[in-house]
Amino acid sequence: GFAYTGGSTMAARHAAPGLVEAVHLDGAASACQWARRNAEHAGLATVDSALRGAAAADGGGVRFIAEDCMTFLQREIKRGNAYDLLIFDPPAFGRGGKGKKMWKLNEPGMIELAEAISSLLTADPAGVVISCHDATWPPRRLENLLCDALASHIEAHGGDVVSGFMKIPVTKDEDGEDGAKKGRALLLGGYARWRPKRLE
């Protein structure tokens, strides 16, 4: 969810070619169009979003859905649909879907998102990843959010929630020296991840 131009979508699809159907969900139709082009350039099968759950001929594919994220998640819960792996990268602010619903990166919104994630996991899940690029949601806060929302899954399947900063090592600093050796990095935000004990 909040999948932008498809980096995580394509990574998930590549993880198990022919077996994984990835659902790319973003409120902006333009982001979904870019993601579709990126997937096609990467040689991935795509599935028309109108097919709603139909798989591509090879047993997998990428389904693109331009819709308000929370609206779609609540609809999927009502339909009884479930997912093995859920990846979300909510923005600080956004509007999406036909009604241009507003999303804000606040505590009520994040709790609602985490509870929806918990409700959408299959009985034998592969995990959850959530990331943010906002100082108000550092790694530990994301970790606590997932621990609370996924308590029943963690109890049933084991595994730990881990968190950290996403960063790119600085290879050269301004004086030409190796920045990576000095521990310098460009911080991109925080993440939290849970995976069941069987996959550790």
Side-chain angles (χ1 to χ4, degrees):
F2 305 105
Y4 309 119
T5 54
S8 294
T9 303
M10 288 183 280
R13 183 65 181 89
H14 274 298
L19 299 176
V20 172
E21 180 191 1
V23 176
H24 179 99
L25 172 63
D26 197 275
S30 58
C32 287
Q33 290 167 0
W34 272 109
R36 179 184 286 276
R37 285 196 289 268
N38 288 339
E40 289 169 351
H41 284 309
L44 299 179
T46 59
V47 179
D48 194 308
S49 61
L51 296 180
R52 294 288 178 186
D58 67 350
V62 182
R63 185 161 54 111
F64 297 88
I65 298 174
E67 189 170 350
D68 173 70
C69 186
M70 293 309 305
T71 300
F72 178 78
L73 297 186
Q74 296 301 334
R75 187 181 298 120
E76 288 290 89
I77 291 169
K78 289 180 181 177
R79 288 172 174 159
N81 291 334
Y83 297 81
D84 295 314
L85 175 66
L86 292 166
I87 304 171
F88 287 85
D89 186 31
F93 174 83
R95 291 182 183 273
K98 293 179 181 177
K100 294 296 181 186
K101 289 190 177 180
M102 184 184 299
W103 161 266
K104 286 186 178 180
L105 191 66
N106 56 24
E107 189 159 356
M110 290 292 278
I111 290 173
E112 182 184 10
L113 174 61
E115 289 174 349
I117 288 171
S118 180
S119 298
L120 283 167
L121 284 172
T122 60
D124 191 25
V128 173
V129 179
I130 188 166
S131 57
C132 283
H133 310 272
D134 190 288
T136 63
W137 284 91
R140 184 54 63 88
R141 191 177 184 193
L142 292 172
E143 180 179 333
N144 291 338
L145 178 77
L146 283 191
C147 284
D148 290 343
L150 303 178
S152 61
H153 295 285
I154 295 170
E155 182 178 357
H157 302 286
D160 295 317
V161 176
V162 298
S163 62
F165 287 102
M166 299 177 291
K167 53 190 176 182
I168 299 174
V170 175
T171 55
K172 297 288 183 183
D173 58 22
E174 60 273 5
D175 56 8
E177 294 185 20
D178 191 337
K181 286 184 178 179
K182 297 178 180 179
R184 295 179 182 172
L186 174 64
L187 294 181
L188 303 177
Y191 74 89
R193 182 195 74 218
W194 170 72
R195 59 182 175 184
K197 190 170 182 62
R198 64 182 172 81
L199 296 178
E200 289 182 346

Short mmCIF file of all heavy atoms in Angstrom, two decimals, residues 132-181:
data_model
loop_
_atom_site.label_atom_id
_atom_site.label_comp_id
_atom_site.label_asym_id
_atom_site.label_seq_id
_atom_site.Cartn_x
_atom_site.Cartn_y
_atom_site.Cartn_z
N CYS A 132 8.41 4.60 7.03
CA CYS A 132 7.98 6.00 7.04
C CYS A 132 9.20 6.89 6.82
O CYS A 132 10.31 6.53 7.19
CB CYS A 132 7.33 6.37 8.37
SG CYS A 132 5.65 5.78 8.57
N HIS A 133 8.93 8.04 6.26
CA HIS A 133 10.00 9.01 5.99
C HIS A 133 9.69 10.31 6.71
O HIS A 133 9.77 11.39 6.13
CB HIS A 133 10.14 9.21 4.48
CG HIS A 133 10.22 7.93 3.72
ND1 HIS A 133 11.42 7.29 3.48
CD2 HIS A 133 9.26 7.12 3.20
CE1 HIS A 133 11.19 6.16 2.82
NE2 HIS A 133 9.89 6.04 2.65
N ASP A 134 9.31 10.19 7.97
CA ASP A 134 8.89 11.34 8.75
C ASP A 134 9.47 11.21 10.15
O ASP A 134 9.38 10.14 10.77
CB ASP A 134 7.36 11.38 8.79
CG ASP A 134 6.84 12.68 9.38
OD1 ASP A 134 6.99 12.86 10.61
OD2 ASP A 134 6.28 13.50 8.63
N ALA A 135 10.03 12.29 10.66
CA ALA A 135 10.70 12.25 11.97
C ALA A 135 9.75 11.93 13.11
O ALA A 135 10.19 11.48 14.17
CB ALA A 135 11.39 13.59 12.23
N THR A 136 8.45 12.13 12.91
CA THR A 136 7.49 11.83 13.98
C THR A 136 7.24 10.32 14.12
O THR A 136 6.62 9.90 15.10
CB THR A 136 6.15 12.55 13.75
OG1 THR A 136 5.56 12.08 12.53
CG2 THR A 136 6.35 14.06 13.69
N TRP A 137 7.70 9.54 13.16
CA TRP A 137 7.55 8.09 13.23
C TRP A 137 8.92 7.42 13.10
O TRP A 137 9.23 6.82 12.07
CB TRP A 137 6.58 7.59 12.16
CG TRP A 137 5.17 7.88 12.54
CD1 TRP A 137 4.45 9.00 12.23
CD2 TRP A 137 4.33 7.08 13.37
NE1 TRP A 137 3.20 8.93 12.81
CE2 TRP A 137 3.09 7.75 13.51
CE3 TRP A 137 4.50 5.84 14.00
CZ2 TRP A 137 2.04 7.24 14.26
CZ3 TRP A 137 3.44 5.33 14.74
CH2 TRP A 137 2.23 6.03 14.86
N PRO A 138 9.74 7.50 14.13
CA PRO A 138 11.05 6.84 14.11
C PRO A 138 10.89 5.33 14.22
O PRO A 138 9.79 4.82 14.51
CB PRO A 138 11.75 7.42 15.35
CG PRO A 138 10.64 7.75 16.28
CD PRO A 138 9.50 8.21 15.41
N PRO A 139 11.96 4.57 13.99
CA PRO A 139 11.88 3.11 13.99
C PRO A 139 11.23 2.51 15.23
O PRO A 139 10.39 1.61 15.12
CB PRO A 139 13.34 2.68 13.86
CG PRO A 139 13.98 3.79 13.11
CD PRO A 139 13.31 5.03 13.59
N ARG A 140 11.59 2.97 16.42
CA ARG A 140 11.03 2.36 17.62
C ARG A 140 9.52 2.55 17.72
O ARG A 140 8.80 1.66 18.18
CB ARG A 140 11.72 2.94 18.86
CG ARG A 140 11.29 2.31 20.18
CD ARG A 140 11.44 0.78 20.15
NE ARG A 140 12.80 0.36 19.97
CZ ARG A 140 13.66 0.16 20.97
NH1 ARG A 140 13.31 0.38 22.22
NH2 ARG A 140 14.88 -0.26 20.70
N ARG A 141 9.04 3.69 17.27
CA ARG A 141 7.59 3.92 17.31
C ARG A 141 6.88 3.00 16.31
O ARG A 141 5.81 2.47 16.60
CB ARG A 141 7.29 5.39 17.00
CG ARG A 141 5.85 5.78 17.26
CD ARG A 141 5.59 7.25 17.01
NE ARG A 141 4.22 7.60 17.37
CZ ARG A 141 3.65 8.75 17.04
NH1 ARG A 141 4.34 9.68 16.37
NH2 ARG A 141 2.40 8.99 17.37
N LEU A 142 7.46 2.80 15.15
CA LEU A 142 6.90 1.87 14.18
C LEU A 142 6.91 0.44 14.73
O LEU A 142 5.96 -0.33 14.55
CB LEU A 142 7.69 1.93 12.87
CG LEU A 142 7.58 3.22 12.06
CD1 LEU A 142 8.57 3.19 10.90
CD2 LEU A 142 6.16 3.43 11.55
N GLU A 143 8.00 0.09 15.41
CA GLU A 143 8.12 -1.23 16.02
C GLU A 143 7.01 -1.45 17.05
O GLU A 143 6.35 -2.51 17.06
CB GLU A 143 9.49 -1.38 16.67
CG GLU A 143 9.72 -2.72 17.34
CD GLU A 143 11.10 -2.81 17.96
OE1 GLU A 143 12.03 -2.12 17.48
OE2 GLU A 143 11.26 -3.58 18.93
N ASN A 144 6.79 -0.48 17.91
CA ASN A 144 5.75 -0.59 18.92
C ASN A 144 4.36 -0.71 18.28
O ASN A 144 3.50 -1.46 18.76
CB ASN A 144 5.78 0.60 19.87
CG ASN A 144 7.02 0.61 20.75
OD1 ASN A 144 7.65 -0.42 20.96
ND2 ASN A 144 7.38 1.77 21.26
N LEU A 145 4.15 0.04 17.20
CA LEU A 145 2.88 -0.02 16.48
C LEU A 145 2.61 -1.43 15.97
O LEU A 145 1.51 -1.98 16.16
CB LEU A 145 2.91 0.96 15.31
CG LEU A 145 1.68 1.00 14.40
CD1 LEU A 145 0.55 1.77 15.09
CD2 LEU A 145 2.02 1.65 13.06
N LEU A 146 3.61 -2.05 15.34
CA LEU A 146 3.43 -3.40 14.82
C LEU A 146 3.29 -4.42 15.95
O LEU A 146 2.48 -5.36 15.84
CB LEU A 146 4.58 -3.79 13.90
CG LEU A 146 4.59 -3.21 12.50
CD1 LEU A 146 5.63 -3.90 11.63
CD2 LEU A 146 3.22 -3.30 11.83
N CYS A 147 4.06 -4.28 17.00
CA CYS A 147 3.96 -5.21 18.13
C CYS A 147 2.54 -5.24 18.69
O CYS A 147 2.00 -6.31 18.98
CB CYS A 147 4.95 -4.83 19.23
SG CYS A 147 6.65 -5.28 18.89
N ASP A 148 1.93 -4.08 18.82
CA ASP A 148 0.57 -4.00 19.35
C ASP A 148 -0.44 -4.59 18.37
O ASP A 148 -1.30 -5.39 18.75
CB ASP A 148 0.20 -2.55 19.67
CG ASP A 148 0.95 -1.99 20.86
OD1 ASP A 148 1.52 -2.79 21.64
OD2 ASP A 148 1.00 -0.75 21.01
N ALA A 149 -0.34 -4.19 17.09
CA ALA A 149 -1.34 -4.61 16.11
C ALA A 149 -1.23 -6.08 15.75
O ALA A 149 -2.24 -6.73 15.45
CB ALA A 149 -1.21 -3.76 14.85
N LEU A 150 -0.02 -6.63 15.79
CA LEU A 150 0.20 -8.01 15.35
C LEU A 150 0.35 -8.99 16.51
O LEU A 150 0.83 -10.11 16.32
CB LEU A 150 1.46 -8.08 14.47
CG LEU A 150 1.47 -7.20 13.22
CD1 LEU A 150 2.80 -7.37 12.49
CD2 LEU A 150 0.30 -7.54 12.30
N ALA A 151 -0.08 -8.59 17.70
CA ALA A 151 0.14 -9.41 18.89
C ALA A 151 -0.36 -10.84 18.72
O ALA A 151 0.34 -11.81 19.08
CB ALA A 151 -0.53 -8.76 20.10
N SER A 152 -1.53 -11.01 18.14
CA SER A 152 -2.08 -12.36 17.99
C SER A 152 -1.29 -13.18 16.98
O SER A 152 -1.09 -14.39 17.16
CB SER A 152 -3.55 -12.30 17.57
OG SER A 152 -3.70 -11.65 16.32
N HIS A 153 -0.80 -12.54 15.92
CA HIS A 153 0.00 -13.24 14.91
C HIS A 153 1.37 -13.63 15.49
O HIS A 153 1.88 -14.72 15.23
CB HIS A 153 0.19 -12.36 13.68
CG HIS A 153 -1.08 -12.06 12.96
ND1 HIS A 153 -1.72 -12.98 12.17
CD2 HIS A 153 -1.84 -10.93 12.93
CE1 HIS A 153 -2.82 -12.44 11.66
NE2 HIS A 153 -2.90 -11.19 12.12
N ILE A 154 1.93 -12.74 16.27
CA ILE A 154 3.24 -13.02 16.89
C ILE A 154 3.10 -14.17 17.88
O ILE A 154 3.95 -15.06 17.94
CB ILE A 154 3.80 -11.75 17.56
CG1 ILE A 154 4.09 -10.67 16.50
CG2 ILE A 154 5.06 -12.07 18.35
CD1 ILE A 154 4.41 -9.31 17.07
N GLU A 155 2.02 -14.18 18.62
CA GLU A 155 1.80 -15.27 19.58
C GLU A 155 1.62 -16.60 18.85
O GLU A 155 2.13 -17.63 19.29
CB GLU A 155 0.56 -14.97 20.42
CG GLU A 155 0.28 -16.03 21.48
CD GLU A 155 -0.92 -15.70 22.34
OE1 GLU A 155 -1.51 -14.62 22.17
OE2 GLU A 155 -1.26 -16.54 23.20
N ALA A 156 0.92 -16.57 17.71
CA ALA A 156 0.65 -17.81 16.97
C ALA A 156 1.84 -18.31 16.19
O ALA A 156 2.06 -19.53 16.07
CB ALA A 156 -0.54 -17.59 16.04
N HIS A 157 2.64 -17.39 15.65
CA HIS A 157 3.69 -17.79 14.71
C HIS A 157 5.11 -17.48 15.19
O HIS A 157 6.08 -17.84 14.52
CB HIS A 157 3.46 -17.10 13.35
CG HIS A 157 2.14 -17.41 12.75
ND1 HIS A 157 1.84 -18.63 12.18
CD2 HIS A 157 1.01 -16.66 12.65
CE1 HIS A 157 0.60 -18.61 11.73
NE2 HIS A 157 0.07 -17.43 12.01
N GLY A 158 5.23 -16.79 16.31
CA GLY A 158 6.55 -16.44 16.81
C GLY A 158 7.19 -15.37 15.95
O GLY A 158 6.56 -14.71 15.14
N GLY A 159 8.47 -15.21 16.15
CA GLY A 159 9.20 -14.18 15.43
C GLY A 159 9.19 -12.86 16.17
O GLY A 159 8.37 -12.66 17.07
N ASP A 160 10.09 -12.00 15.80
CA ASP A 160 10.23 -10.71 16.46
C ASP A 160 9.97 -9.58 15.48
O ASP A 160 10.20 -9.73 14.27
CB ASP A 160 11.63 -10.53 17.05
CG ASP A 160 11.91 -11.52 18.18
OD1 ASP A 160 11.01 -11.71 19.01
OD2 ASP A 160 13.02 -12.08 18.20
N VAL A 161 9.53 -8.46 16.01
CA VAL A 161 9.46 -7.24 15.22
C VAL A 161 10.80 -6.53 15.39
O VAL A 161 11.25 -6.30 16.51
CB VAL A 161 8.32 -6.33 15.69
CG1 VAL A 161 8.33 -5.01 14.92
CG2 VAL A 161 6.97 -7.02 15.52
N VAL A 162 11.45 -6.23 14.29
CA VAL A 162 12.72 -5.51 14.32
C VAL A 162 12.53 -4.19 13.60
O VAL A 162 11.65 -4.04 12.75
CB VAL A 162 13.87 -6.32 13.68
CG1 VAL A 162 14.11 -7.61 14.44
CG2 VAL A 162 13.58 -6.61 12.22
N SER A 163 13.36 -3.21 13.95
CA SER A 163 13.22 -1.90 13.33
C SER A 163 14.60 -1.28 13.14
O SER A 163 15.59 -1.71 13.74
CB SER A 163 12.34 -0.98 14.18
OG SER A 163 12.94 -0.75 15.45
N GLY A 164 14.66 -0.25 12.33
CA GLY A 164 15.92 0.44 12.09
C GLY A 164 15.74 1.58 11.12
O GLY A 164 14.63 1.87 10.66
N PHE A 165 16.85 2.23 10.82
CA PHE A 165 16.84 3.32 9.86
C PHE A 165 17.21 2.80 8.48
O PHE A 165 18.08 1.94 8.34
CB PHE A 165 17.84 4.41 10.26
CG PHE A 165 17.39 5.23 11.44
CD1 PHE A 165 17.91 5.00 12.70
CD2 PHE A 165 16.45 6.23 11.27
CE1 PHE A 165 17.50 5.74 13.79
CE2 PHE A 165 16.03 7.00 12.36
CZ PHE A 165 16.55 6.75 13.61
N MET A 166 16.53 3.31 7.47
CA MET A 166 16.92 3.07 6.08
C MET A 166 17.95 4.14 5.73
O MET A 166 17.72 5.33 5.98
CB MET A 166 15.70 3.17 5.16
CG MET A 166 14.64 2.15 5.47
SD MET A 166 13.18 2.32 4.42
CE MET A 166 12.50 3.86 5.03
N LYS A 167 19.07 3.72 5.17
CA LYS A 167 20.10 4.70 4.87
C LYS A 167 20.98 4.25 3.71
O LYS A 167 21.09 3.05 3.42
CB LYS A 167 20.96 4.96 6.10
CG LYS A 167 21.54 3.72 6.75
CD LYS A 167 22.15 4.06 8.10
CE LYS A 167 22.66 2.81 8.80
NZ LYS A 167 23.22 3.11 10.13
N ILE A 168 21.58 5.22 3.07
CA ILE A 168 22.53 4.98 1.99
C ILE A 168 23.90 5.43 2.47
O ILE A 168 24.08 6.61 2.82
CB ILE A 168 22.14 5.77 0.71
CG1 ILE A 168 20.76 5.32 0.22
CG2 ILE A 168 23.19 5.56 -0.37
CD1 ILE A 168 20.25 6.13 -0.95
N PRO A 169 24.88 4.54 2.50
CA PRO A 169 26.22 4.94 2.94
C PRO A 169 26.81 6.01 2.02
O PRO A 169 26.62 5.97 0.80
CB PRO A 169 27.04 3.64 2.85
CG PRO A 169 26.02 2.55 2.86
CD PRO A 169 24.80 3.10 2.19
N VAL A 170 27.47 6.97 2.61
CA VAL A 170 28.15 8.00 1.84
C VAL A 170 29.51 7.45 1.40
O VAL A 170 30.36 7.13 2.24
CB VAL A 170 28.34 9.28 2.68
CG1 VAL A 170 29.17 10.31 1.91
CG2 VAL A 170 26.99 9.86 3.08
N THR A 171 29.70 7.28 0.10
CA THR A 171 30.94 6.68 -0.38
C THR A 171 32.11 7.66 -0.36
O THR A 171 33.24 7.29 -0.06
CB THR A 171 30.76 6.12 -1.80
OG1 THR A 171 30.28 7.16 -2.66
CG2 THR A 171 29.76 4.98 -1.79
N LYS A 172 31.82 8.92 -0.67
CA LYS A 172 32.87 9.94 -0.65
C LYS A 172 32.32 11.19 0.02
O LYS A 172 31.23 11.66 -0.32
CB LYS A 172 33.33 10.31 -2.06
CG LYS A 172 33.97 9.16 -2.84
CD LYS A 172 35.34 8.82 -2.29
CE LYS A 172 36.00 7.71 -3.13
NZ LYS A 172 37.30 7.31 -2.58
N ASP A 173 33.04 11.71 0.99
CA ASP A 173 32.59 12.95 1.60
C ASP A 173 33.20 14.13 0.84
O ASP A 173 33.90 13.97 -0.16
CB ASP A 173 32.91 12.99 3.10
CG ASP A 173 34.40 12.83 3.39
OD1 ASP A 173 35.21 13.10 2.48
OD2 ASP A 173 34.73 12.45 4.52
N GLU A 174 32.97 15.36 1.34
CA GLU A 174 33.38 16.55 0.59
C GLU A 174 34.88 16.69 0.41
O GLU A 174 35.35 17.34 -0.53
CB GLU A 174 32.80 17.82 1.25
CG GLU A 174 33.25 18.04 2.69
CD GLU A 174 32.35 17.33 3.69
OE1 GLU A 174 31.46 16.60 3.28
OE2 GLU A 174 32.58 17.54 4.89
N ASP A 175 35.68 16.05 1.29
CA ASP A 175 37.12 16.14 1.11
C ASP A 175 37.69 14.93 0.37
O ASP A 175 38.90 14.71 0.34
CB ASP A 175 37.83 16.32 2.47
CG ASP A 175 37.49 15.21 3.46
OD1 ASP A 175 36.85 14.23 3.05
OD2 ASP A 175 37.87 15.34 4.63
N GLY A 176 36.78 14.12 -0.25
CA GLY A 176 37.23 13.00 -1.07
C GLY A 176 37.56 11.74 -0.30
O GLY A 176 37.95 10.74 -0.90
N GLU A 177 37.39 11.75 1.01
CA GLU A 177 37.70 10.56 1.80
C GLU A 177 36.51 9.59 1.82
O GLU A 177 35.38 9.96 1.49
CB GLU A 177 38.07 10.97 3.23
CG GLU A 177 39.36 11.77 3.31
CD GLU A 177 39.76 12.05 4.75
OE1 GLU A 177 39.28 11.35 5.65
OE2 GLU A 177 40.54 12.99 4.96
N ASP A 178 36.78 8.37 2.19
CA ASP A 178 35.76 7.33 2.22
C ASP A 178 34.79 7.60 3.36
O ASP A 178 35.10 7.36 4.53
CB ASP A 178 36.41 5.95 2.38
CG ASP A 178 35.43 4.82 2.15
OD1 ASP A 178 34.22 5.05 2.30
OD2 ASP A 178 35.86 3.71 1.83
N GLY A 179 33.58 8.09 3.01
CA GLY A 179 32.60 8.41 4.03
C GLY A 179 32.04 7.18 4.72
O GLY A 179 31.69 7.23 5.90
N ALA A 180 31.95 6.05 3.99
CA ALA A 180 31.38 4.84 4.58
C ALA A 180 32.22 4.35 5.75
O ALA A 180 31.69 3.87 6.76
CB ALA A 180 31.26 3.75 3.51
N LYS A 181 33.53 4.46 5.63
CA LYS A 181 34.41 4.01 6.73
C LYS A 181 34.21 4.87 7.98
O LYS A 181 34.46 4.41 9.09
CB LYS A 181 35.88 4.06 6.29
CG LYS A 181 36.26 2.95 5.33
CD LYS A 181 37.73 2.97 5.01
CE LYS A 181 38.12 1.83 4.07
NZ LYS A 181 39.56 1.87 3.73
#
